[in-house]
Amino acid sequence: MSTRDVIIIGSGPAGYTAALYASRADLKPLVILGHEPGGQLTTTTDVENFPGFPEGILGPDLMNNMKAQAQRFGTEYLTTQVTQIDLSKRPFKVTCENGDEFLTQSVIISTGASAKYLGLPNEKQLIGKGVSACATCDGFFFRNQVVHIVGGGDTAMEEAMFLSKFASKVTIVHRRDSFRASKPMQQRVFDNPKIDILWDHTVEEIIADDTGVTAIKVKNVNTGDMAQRETNGLFMGIGHSPNTKFLAGQLDLDGHGFILTKDGHPDTNIPGVYACGDVQDPYYRQAISAAGSGCMAAIRAERYLEEFGRV
Ligand code: NDP
């Protein structure tokens, strides 16, 4: 079994930036790309808020550029995902889905987070045909159409505001009679004439034909009454799940499964193990903040290896 200085688990702006810094520090990192190489940005179109691209850049292009830049300095990539990791002793052991096993002196975890879905039978088949978990990615396709969004947190508010720029009508469907979103975000929604709110309702069914989503069935949680509402789109705004299942109790996580890091550093509770990007950040969730934390994780890993020894 080969032993590495640093293995980076997960690709995306955090993982690729960690790889860039680690490879330029001559640590010859191995990036295990995961099931969605490049992460959430590969399902986005224009990225207009990543500094350095005055005209914007396509999400997949940005990720390919980052990947190539890290490769130029000696980063290796492996297309598989990690199924198990043993952090109980150093060197740490990493087991992959394809059967590969590695030992490594340090680990950087950048596995990101995935949008949550409701669990309705046809919702995943309808992604791209009216169902979406990313208004920023797909809102543009709903120009002058009617859309519904589920959720009552900041994500749902933010996505509803964004959708209102394109859609003719946006309805937020929420399972309770109050939002958990911050007050200013709620106020912006209440003040927006294009947005209305269906309190105390859940989405029970998505109806679609060959053209995509046409309606949803909603249930009043107080009376049990069902109603059908015509819609061209259904957006999920019910939060994100960090991709930390493979860690299975080996690292300190918060109540939602995000990796806990220390005092603004990418350090986890285990020395030599670092976390960056959305897997440890339920708050900012931006490509640029993920990239920044990836840089920090690589610098911390480099200093740790200087102190405690390389392969
Ligand atoms: P939250 O967990 O805060 O909110 C999720 C919302 O979805 C809740 O209203 C919840 O309902 C609802 N929900 C969850 N599961 C279901 C379900 N199965 N069916 C129906 N409704 C469901 O997630 P967010 O993604 O909104 O926010 C995560 C964090 O990120 C927060 O800390 C937030 O403040 C932050 N954030 C900040 C932003 C900003 O400042 N610009 C933007 C976006 C997020 P209920 O309330 O009943 O539990």
Side-chain angles (χ1 to χ4, degrees), residues 224-263:
D225 289 350
M226 297 286 294
Q228 184 161 321
R229 297 177 65 95
E230 308 307 307
T231 193
N232 303 107
L234 178 65
F235 283 78
M236 307 293 162
I238 60 174
H240 289 76
S241 298
N243 298 317
T244 49
K245 277 208 186 84
F246 71 101
L247 293 169
Q250 301 219 39
L251 272 185
D252 286 352
L253 308 177
D254 75 4
H256 299 283
F258 289 90
I259 298 174
L260 287 169
T261 52
K262 289 184 186 164
D263 308 326

Side-chain angles (χ1 to χ4, degrees), residues 18-273:
L20 174 63
Y21 275 76
S23 55
R24 291 192 79 251
D26 208 23
L27 295 175
K28 299 184 175 52
L30 173 69
V31 178
I32 300 174
L33 291 162
H35 67 280
E36 194 186 2
Q40 292 181 59
L41 275 188
T42 56
T43 58
T44 312
T45 51
D46 284 321
V47 178
E48 293 179 330
N49 55 7
F50 200 92
F53 301 93
E55 306 303 325
I57 181 167
L58 290 172
D61 290 351
L62 180 61
M63 288 305 92
N64 286 335
N65 288 351
M66 284 192 188
K67 186 179 180 190
Q69 193 174 354
Q71 198 160 23
R72 191 179 138 210
F73 298 101
T75 298
E76 287 176 50
Y77 296 107
L78 190 62
T79 311
T80 184
Q81 57 181 331
V82 173
T83 48
Q84 224 180 328
I85 185 165
D86 181 358
L87 302 176
S88 61
K89 58 180 188 302
R90 211 171 146 243
F92 309 116
K93 188 176 168 192
V94 175
T95 307
C96 302
E97 195 176 54
N98 67 355
D100 285 355
E101 291 182 327
F102 301 94
L103 293 174
T104 183
Q105 302 289 18
S106 69
V107 180
I108 295 175
I109 302 171
S110 52
T111 43
S114 305
K116 287 187 195 163
Y117 283 77
L118 290 170
L120 298 172
N122 57 351
E123 65 185 0
K124 292 278 169 78
Q125 285 146 254
L126 290 168
I127 292 173
K129 294 176 183 157
V131 171
S132 170
C134 179
T136 326
C137 321
D138 299 327
F140 182 79
F141 302 114
F142 294 85
R143 196 176 284 282
N144 299 323
Q145 297 189 359
V146 174
V147 297
H148 287 67
I149 175 161
V150 195
D154 282 331
T155 296
M157 303 302 115
E158 202 168 70
E159 304 252 296
M161 290 296 294
F162 188 82
L163 287 168
S164 73
K165 293 182 195 166
F166 304 97
S168 56
K169 188 84 216 162
V170 180
T171 302
I172 302 176
V173 183
H174 185 40
R175 63 185 177 185
R176 294 189 294 123
D177 63 357
S178 63
F179 289 140
R180 68 169 64 228
S182 59
K183 290 283 179 274
M185 302 272 271
Q186 292 193 31
Q187 200 54 52
R188 258 174 255 160
V189 160
F190 296 146
D191 293 343
N192 188 320
K194 272 191 173 179
I195 303 176
D196 61 18
I197 298 150
L198 190 63
W199 300 109
D200 293 319
H201 277 74
T202 51
V203 176
E204 299 291 314
E205 196 180 323
I206 309 171
I207 298 164
D209 63 17
D210 292 347
T211 62
V213 173
T214 56
I216 52 171
K217 280 193 182 159
V218 293
K219 183 168 98 180
N220 183 317
V221 295
N222 299 320
T223 63
D225 289 350
M226 297 286 294
Q228 184 161 321
R229 297 177 65 95
E230 308 307 307
T231 193
N232 303 107
L234 178 65
F235 283 78
M236 307 293 162
I238 60 174
H240 289 76
S241 298
N243 298 317
T244 49
K245 277 208 186 84
F246 71 101
L247 293 169
Q250 301 219 39
L251 272 185
D252 286 352
L253 308 177
D254 75 4
H256 299 283
F258 289 90
I259 298 174
L260 287 169
T261 52
K262 289 184 186 164
D263 308 326
H265 289 293
D267 303 39
T268 68
N269 61 308
I270 298 183
V273 181

Side-chain angles (χ1 to χ4, degrees), residues 8 10-19 66 108-110 276-278 287 290-295:
I8 298 168
S11 47
Y16 287 145
T17 306
M66 284 192 188
I108 295 175
I109 302 171
S110 52
C276 50
D278 287 9
S293 69
C295 154

Side-chain angles (χ1 to χ4, degrees), residues 268-309:
T268 68
N269 61 308
I270 298 183
V273 181
Y274 305 92
C276 50
D278 287 9
V279 73
Q280 51 85 55
D281 172 19
Y283 188 76
Y284 295 106
R285 301 191 294 109
Q286 299 300 304
I288 186 65
S289 51
S293 69
C295 154
M296 290 157 69
I299 290 174
R300 292 295 286 166
E302 184 195 349
R303 299 207 175 142
Y304 171 82
L305 290 167
E306 256 170 36
E307 201 172 333
F308 295 100

